[in-house]
C-alpha cells in the first residue's frame, strides 16, 4: 500500500525512513502505485540502471529537515578566517611600517624610574602604620573587655553599662577610623600628587598608582574587618557568630605583623584573620605561571608597539577633523588589536599572575574570575570578571549600605561612583588628563545594567546570544578602542605632535 | 576531621565540594586544623568580617579545573569580529573606490547574447536525437525478444542461441553507442568551438558550456541506463532484478518523449525510468526559493564588482613581478571575498535552485548535498558536496570500472581525470585559456585524498578538527583565490591592460 507524500512540513519530517511515496510514471499514463517492498540491490551488470533516487529526501539546510545539521565545520572556518585575515593585516603592516620593535626607543626617563621606585617601596609603610593603629585598638579593646567582665551583674546596671560601652566603642571607632583615614589618604594623596606632577611616563605612573590604590583598599579592608572582629569580641551577645574558619585565630591574636604581611601579599583585597591554605608550593606550577606572565607581557608590548601605535597615530588626523566615518573605520581596525591585548592582559593578570602569587603564598581560593566571556548581562559581567575587587565592593560598600537601609539601586549607584573615582585615578592621573571619560564609563554601567538585565540567564538561548553579543560590542569592539583613542588623542594634544593644534 | 589539600591534580579536581582544608594561622603559630562544620551566615553587623574565602577553589581556566568552562561567548565573539573586520574593509573599500556598481558598465555584447541564446536553445535537440536512437533500439529489442520467445526448447540449441543473441546484443549496442557518441560529442564539440572562438564574455560562455556539458552527461546516462534496462528485458535469467521502483514503468514503456522531457528538466544527472515523486507543488516554497536565488545572485554580483574586481586588478602588478609576499597578502585578502561568494553560490545553486526545480518537477529526492562543511577528509568532501555529479560518476564511471576488474585506486584516478577534463572545459573554454590549471587541480585531488584519509570519521576529535581545517585551508583559503588570480591574470595578459607585457 503506497501512501502519498504530503509535501507539507509534517510528512516531510518523517523522511527518509520509509519509502512510502507515490512513484508515478513520468509519462501521462496512470499506473498502480509502487509497493513498499525494499529495493533489491542490482547486480554488477546493471550498474548503469541502479536506482540512485529511491526515496523522498529533504535537503539538510531546509527548514523541514528532520535534523538540524551540525555546524562544527563553520566554527572551525570562523577561527581560520580570523587567523587568516589578521595574518594578512600583519603582512600589510610590515610592508607599511617595517619592524618597529626597538628596545632602546622607549621614553622612560631615569627620573621616572627613580621616583617610581621610591614611591613603590615606600607605600607599604602605610600598612605598618595601619598595623600600629590596630595594635593600639586591640589593646584598648582588651582593657574594655576586662572592665566589662568585672562589672557586677544587675540587669538595669548591666544594660546601661552596655549602652555606655557601645557609645565608647563608637567614639573609639571614630578615632581609630580617623587615624586610618589620615594614614590611607596620605598614601593615596602623595602617590597621586607625585605621579600627576612628577612622573611623565604613563606606564610607570599607572603601576605606581595601581600599587597605591591596592594598598589603600587593603588598609580599608584591614580597618573595617578588625572593627567588626573587635565588636564581636566585646559584644558576643549581639554577635551572630563569626565564621568557624576564624576560630583558629580569634581576635586580637590576628593583630601581628606576620598576619598583616600575609594579607599584604595575598591575592585578595578583603582581609580575613584566617584564609583557606594549600599544603605546598608546586615549583613547576610557579615556573609555568611566571613564564606565561612574562611571555604574554612581551607579546602585548610587541603588539602595542607594532600595531596599535601606528594605528593610533594614523587616527589623530581624523580625530582632529572629527571625520566620523574615518574614525569609525579606525575604531573597527583598532578593536581587533585592543581585544587581543585585553584577552592576553586578562589571562596574564587574573590567571597567570594571581595564581602565581596564590601558589607562592599557599593561598587556596583561586577563584579570581569566572566565565565572564559567556555573560549576557552587564550585571553578570561585573560580578564575574574581577572577583577580588567585586568581593571588596560587595563586602565593604554595597552590603553595609544595604544593611543600613539604603535601597539596592542607590547602593549600586554609589558603588559604581566609587569605582568610577578609582578608575579615573588609575587612568586620568598617569596620563595627566583628568577628562572624566573613565569616570563616565563606570557611571554609565548603571543604566547599561538595567538595559541588559532582561537578557539574563533565565532567558531563551536567542536572548542570551543577543545579550552576549551586546556585551562584546559595547565593551570590547567599541568601548575600549574608543577610550584608547580618546586618551591617546588627549595625550597627543598635550605632549605630542598635536600639541596646541 | 580535616584533610590536607594536596595541591597536585587529583585532589584539586575534587574541589570545591568539600571545605576540607588546612586552615592555618597566617602567623607562624601552629594551630589545630579547622573543623568541617559549615560556616554560619554572618549577621549584617559583621558584613566587614564575613568570610569571602572559605574553601579552596581552582581558576576556571586551570588545567586542573573540575569542569572545562563553556566557550559559548568566544564563539559569538569570533562571529562578531569577522563581521566587524569585514565591515571595516567595506568602509575602506568605499573610501578608496567609491561606488563601483554600474548596471550599464558590463562588457556583454549583443553578439554574445544572440549566439549564446541560439546555442542554449539548440542544445536540447541532441536530447531529441538521443530519444530517437533509443526508440529504434527499443523497437529492435522488442523484435529480438519476440524471436527469443518463439525459439524451440533444447538445451544445447538454447545455449548456443543465447550466446549468439548476446553477441548480437553487443554488436547492436556498439552501433547504438556509436550513434549516441556522435550525437553527444557533436553537441559538446559545437558548443565548445562556438564558445571558444565566438563568445567573448566568459560568463555567457560558461553558462552555455555548462548547459552543453549537463546535456552531454544526461544523454550519456540515458544511453547507458537504457542499455542495461534493455539487457534486463532480453536476458531475465541473467538479471539479478531491477529495482521494484521501476516496476510501474517497465522497459521499453519508458521510451517516450514525456519521460525524456521529465529527465531533461529533473534536478539529476542519472536517468531512471521512474523517480520518487511528491504530490503537489507548494507555491510559497517556489517563490521563496526563487527569491533566494535571485537575491543571492545579485549579492554575489555586487560583491564581485565592488570588492573582488579592484582586488584582482591590484594583484596584477605583483603577479607580473612574481612578488610572492605581496601575492600572498593579496590571496589572503581575496580569500574572504571568494569564500563568501563560494558559500552564497553553493546555497544559491545547490539549495535554492535545485530545490526550486525539484518542487516544480515534483521530484522527491532533494538530497543534493550533505554537510560537506564538516568533512575532515577530501574523500568525504567529493562524496558530499555535489551529489548529482557524484551519483553520475559513481554509477556510470567508477562502479562499472570496478565491476570490470579495475582496481578501486585506478578507477578513482580515471574518474578524476574525466572530471578534470570537464572542469577544464567549463573554465578554460569560456576564458579562452586552456592553461590546464583546472585539470591539474582535479588530478591533484587524488594524492590529496590519500593524505587526508587518516583524518576521517573514525579518528579522534582533534584529528577531525585538523582535517577539517586542512580542507578549508587548501580549498577555500588558498586554492580558490589562487585559481581565480591565475585565470584573471591570464585573461588580463590576453585581453586586458596587461596584454603583451
Amino acid at each position: 500500500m503506497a501512501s502519498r507524500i504530503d509535501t507539507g512540513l509534517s510528512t516531510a519530517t518523517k523522511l527518509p525512513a520509509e519509502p512510502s511515496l507515490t512513484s508515478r510514471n513520468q509519462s501521462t499514463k496512470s499506473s498502480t502505485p509502487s509497493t513498499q517492498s525494499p529495493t533489491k540491490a542490482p547486480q554488477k551488470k546493471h550498474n548503469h540502471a541502479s536506482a540512485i533516487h529511491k526515496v523522498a529526501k529533504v535537503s539538510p539546510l531546509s527548514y523541514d529537515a528532520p535534523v538540524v545539521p551540525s555546524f562544527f565545520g563553520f566554527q572551525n572556518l570562523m577561527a581560520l578566517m580570523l587567523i587568516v585575515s589578521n595574518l594578512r593585516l600583519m603582512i600589510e603592516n610590515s610592508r607599511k611600517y617595517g619592524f618597529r620593535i626597538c628596545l632602546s626607543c622607549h621614553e622612560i626617563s631615569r627620573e621616572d624610574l627613580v621616583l617610581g621606585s621610591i614611591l613603590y617601596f615606600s607605600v607599604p609603610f602605610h600598612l605598618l602604620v595601619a598595623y600600629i593603629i590596630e595594635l593600639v585598638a586591640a589593646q584598648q579593646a582588651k582593657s574594655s573587655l576586662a572592665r566589662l567582665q568585672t562589672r557586677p551583674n544587675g540587669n538595669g546596671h548591666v544594660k546601661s553599662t552596655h549602652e555606655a560601652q557601645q557609645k565608647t566603642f563608637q567614639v573609639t571607632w571614630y578615632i581609630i577610623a580617623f587615624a586610618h583615614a589620615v594614614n590611607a589618604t596620605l598614601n593615596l594623596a602623595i602617590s597621586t600628587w607625585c605621579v600627576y606632577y612628577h612622573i611623565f611616563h604613563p606606564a610607570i605612573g599607572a603601576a605606581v598608582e595601581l600599587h597605591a590604590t591596592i594598598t589603600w583598599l587593603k588598609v580599608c579592608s584591614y580597618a573595617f574587618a578588625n572593627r567588626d572582629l573587635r565588636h564581636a569580641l566585646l559584644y558576643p551577645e549581639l554577635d551572630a557568630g563569626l565564621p568557624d574558619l576564624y576560630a583558629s585565630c580569634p581576635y586580637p591574636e590576628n593583630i601581628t605583623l606576620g598576619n598583616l604581611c600575609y594579607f599584604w601579599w595575598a591575592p585578595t583585597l578583603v582581609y580575613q584573620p584566617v584564609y583557606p591554605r594549600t599544603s605546598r608550593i608546586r615549583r613547576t606550577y610557579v615556573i609555568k605561571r611566571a613564564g606565561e606572565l612574562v611571555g604574554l607581557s612581551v607579546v602585548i608590548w610587541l603588539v602595542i608597539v607594532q600595531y596599535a601605535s601606528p594605528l593610533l597615530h594614523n587616527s589623530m588626523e581624523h580625530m582632529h577633523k572629527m571625520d566620523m566615518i574615518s574614525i569609525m573605520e579606525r575604531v573597527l581596525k583598532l578593536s581587533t588589536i585592543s581585544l587581543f591585548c585585553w584577552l592576553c592582559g586578562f589571562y596574564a593578570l587574573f590567571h597567570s599572575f594571581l595564581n602565581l602569587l596564590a601558589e607562592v603564598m599557599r593561598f587556596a581560593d583561586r577563584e579570581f574570575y569566572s566565565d565572564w566571556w559567556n555573560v549576557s548581562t552587564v550585571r553578570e559581567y561585573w560580578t564575574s570578571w574581577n572577583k577580588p575587587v567585586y568581593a571588596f565592593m560587595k563586602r565593604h560598600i554595597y552590603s553595609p549600605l544595604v544593611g543600613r537601609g539604603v535601597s539596592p539601586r542607590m547602593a549600586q549607584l554609589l558603588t559604581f561612583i566609587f569605582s568610577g573615582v578609582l578608575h579615573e585615578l588609575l587612568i586620568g592621573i598617569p596620563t595627566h588628563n583628568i577628562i572624566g571619560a573613565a569616570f563616565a564609563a563606570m557611571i554609565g554601567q548603571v543604566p547599561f545594567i538595567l538595559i541588559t538585565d532582561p537578557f539574563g540567564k533565565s532567558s531563551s538561548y536567542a536572548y542570551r546570544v543577543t545579550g552576549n553579543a551586546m556585551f562584546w560590542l559595547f565593551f570590547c569592539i567599541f568601548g575600549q578602542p574608543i577610550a584608547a583613542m580618546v586618551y591617546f588623542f588627549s595625550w597627543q594634544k598635550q605632549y605630542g605632535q598635536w600639541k596646541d593644534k
Side-chain angles (χ1 to χ4, degrees), chain A:
Chain A
M1 179 193 78
S3 54
R4 296 172 66 86
I5 301 166
D6 180 351
T7 50
L9 247 179
S10 51
T11 321
T13 53
K14 293 185 202 149
L15 307 169
E18 39 185 323
S20 50
L21 41 81
T22 308
S23 331
R24 294 166 68 99
N25 192 336
Q26 284 100 317
S27 70
T28 51
K29 279 197 292 190
S30 64
S31 60
T32 48
S34 146
T35 59
Q36 269 177 311
S37 54
T39 308
K40 284 194 222 160
Q43 293 286 6
K44 275 192 224 170
K45 285 191 88 64
H46 301 301
N47 268 350
H48 294 293
S50 58
I52 305 289
H53 305 289
K54 285 179 271 203
V55 293
K57 290 180 191 170
V58 181
S59 295
L61 293 172
S62 281
Y63 68 90
D64 50 358
V67 280
V68 177
S70 151
F71 293 110
F72 150 86
F74 283 127
Q75 287 169 10
N76 292 344
L77 180 64
M78 284 203 297
L80 274 172
M81 287 315 298
L82 274 172
I83 293 169
V84 157
S85 54
N86 286 301
L87 209 71
R88 183 196 76 78
L89 286 170
M90 287 163 75
I91 296 175
E92 188 185 60
N93 168 288
S94 124
R95 303 220 122 204
K96 264 192 196 172
Y97 305 110
F99 189 64
R100 289 174 57 92
I101 313 297
C102 163
L103 286 169
S104 53
C105 302
H106 60 82
E107 289 164 3
I108 297 174
S109 69
R110 205 163 167 274
E111 292 76 21
D112 279 355
L113 276 171
V114 168
L115 184 54
S117 307
I118 291 171
L119 283 166
Y120 193 90
F121 288 109
S122 62
V123 146
F125 282 107
H126 293 275
L127 280 168
L128 180 65
V129 170
Y131 162 69
I132 291 166
I133 296 169
E134 281 303 320
L135 203 59
V136 167
Q139 292 305 324
Q140 199 273 345
K142 278 197 276 196
S143 24
S144 283
L145 190 67
R147 276 199 304 279
L148 266 174
Q149 282 165 350
T150 54
R151 289 274 180 199
N153 280 341
N155 269 357
H157 197 42
V158 168
K159 188 164 170 267
S160 64
T161 309
H162 264 201
E163 281 168 9
Q165 284 292 339
Q166 284 272 314
K167 246 191 184 165
T168 316
F169 180 86
Q170 278 300 98
V171 170
T172 318
W173 163 242
Y174 290 143
I175 298 168
I176 295 165
F178 179 77
H180 273 305
V182 168
N183 171 44
T185 310
L186 258 179
N187 155 41
L188 205 51
I190 291 170
S191 290
T192 302
W193 185 86
C194 286
V195 169
Y196 191 80
Y197 289 109
H198 295 285
I199 294 183
F200 177 74
H201 201 284
I204 297 181
V208 170
E209 194 68 4
L210 183 65
H211 185 232
T213 307
I214 288 172
T215 309
W216 185 84
L217 292 170
K218 291 202 184 200
V219 164
C220 291
S221 187
Y222 191 61
F224 281 123
N226 279 313
R227 177 218 176 273
D228 278 9
L229 289 172
R230 199 163 42 250
H231 191 272
L233 172 75
L234 293 172
Y235 308 106
E237 66 282 4
L238 297 171
D239 178 24
L242 289 169
D244 288 348
L245 182 64
Y246 299 174
S248 58
C249 186
Y251 185 87
E253 290 176 32
N254 61 309
I255 310 298
T256 67
L257 213 49
N259 183 292
L260 178 58
C261 281
Y262 187 84
F263 174 53
W264 174 25
W265 282 103
T268 180
L269 294 173
V270 294
Y271 175 72
Q272 288 177 199
V274 182
Y275 292 100
R277 303 293 300 276
T278 57
S279 56
R280 61 182 180 91
I281 301 173
R282 292 169 291 179
R283 199 162 42 157
T284 25
Y285 187 91
V286 168
I287 291 169
K288 280 183 190 170
R289 299 290 84 75
E292 282 169 5
L293 179 61
V294 169
L296 284 169
S297 305
V298 168
V299 164
I300 293 170
W301 172 69
L302 289 173
V303 166
I304 288 174
V305 171
Q306 184 72 32
Y307 303 109
S309 173
L311 208 158
L312 285 165
H313 278 103
N314 287 347
S315 322
M316 293 299 101
E317 181 84 41
H318 307 306
M319 293 281 278
H320 193 71
K321 291 181 187 165
M322 293 299 281
D323 178 356
M324 298 313 287
I325 305 283
S326 299
I327 291 173
M328 177 58 56
E329 189 269 338
R330 295 283 90 189
V331 165
L332 293 179
K333 193 169 187 182
L334 185 59
S335 66
T336 312
I337 302 167
S338 73
L339 184 71
F340 178 79
C341 291
W342 171 260
L343 293 174
C344 287
F346 158 77
Y347 191 91
L349 177 61
F350 286 93
H351 184 79
S352 307
F353 176 67
L354 292 185
N355 268 297
L356 168 63
L357 205 54
E359 188 71 18
V360 167
M361 300 304 292
R362 292 194 293 116
F363 186 87
D365 185 356
R366 312 283 174 98
E367 202 191 37
F368 304 119
Y369 57 88
S370 64
D371 59 341
W372 59 268
W373 49 87
N374 294 329
V375 300
S376 51
T377 67
V378 173
R379 186 189 299 274
E380 286 168 30
Y381 174 73
W382 288 111
T383 60
S384 58
W385 101 276
N386 183 346
K387 286 198 176 285
V389 168
Y390 168 66
F392 181 96
M393 297 294 186
K394 189 158 186 218
R395 193 212 222 191
H396 294 305
I397 299 176
Y398 183 83
S399 297
L401 283 174
V402 168
R404 279 155 182 73
V406 177
S407 76
R409 200 137 281 173
M410 178 55 68
Q412 183 187 73
L413 180 63
L414 291 169
T415 308
F416 274 101
I417 288 174
F418 175 73
S419 178
V421 170
L422 287 187
H423 276 80
E424 197 62 38
L425 278 183
L426 290 170
I427 299 170
I429 298 293
T431 55
H432 318 295
N433 243 316
I434 305 175
I435 47 180
F439 181 78
M442 290 312 292
I443 303 302
Q445 298 305 307
V446 180
F448 205 17
I449 286 174
L450 291 172
I451 292 168
T452 57
D453 266 346
F455 297 91
K457 280 200 163 70
S458 54
S459 312
S460 68
Y461 180 79
Y463 260 63
R464 290 192 48 235
V465 169
T466 309
N468 185 252
M470 280 166 61
F471 156 69
W472 286 117
L473 272 168
F474 287 114
F475 270 72
C476 300
I477 293 171
F478 291 108
Q480 287 165 1
I482 288 176
M485 279 169 64
V486 162
Y487 276 99
F488 188 82
F489 183 61
S490 310
W491 178 273
Q492 291 295 325
K493 292 272 290 180
Q494 218 170 339
Y495 301 107
Q497 58 204 91
W498 286 90
K499 197 170 167 185
D500 302 328
K501 283 193 183 164

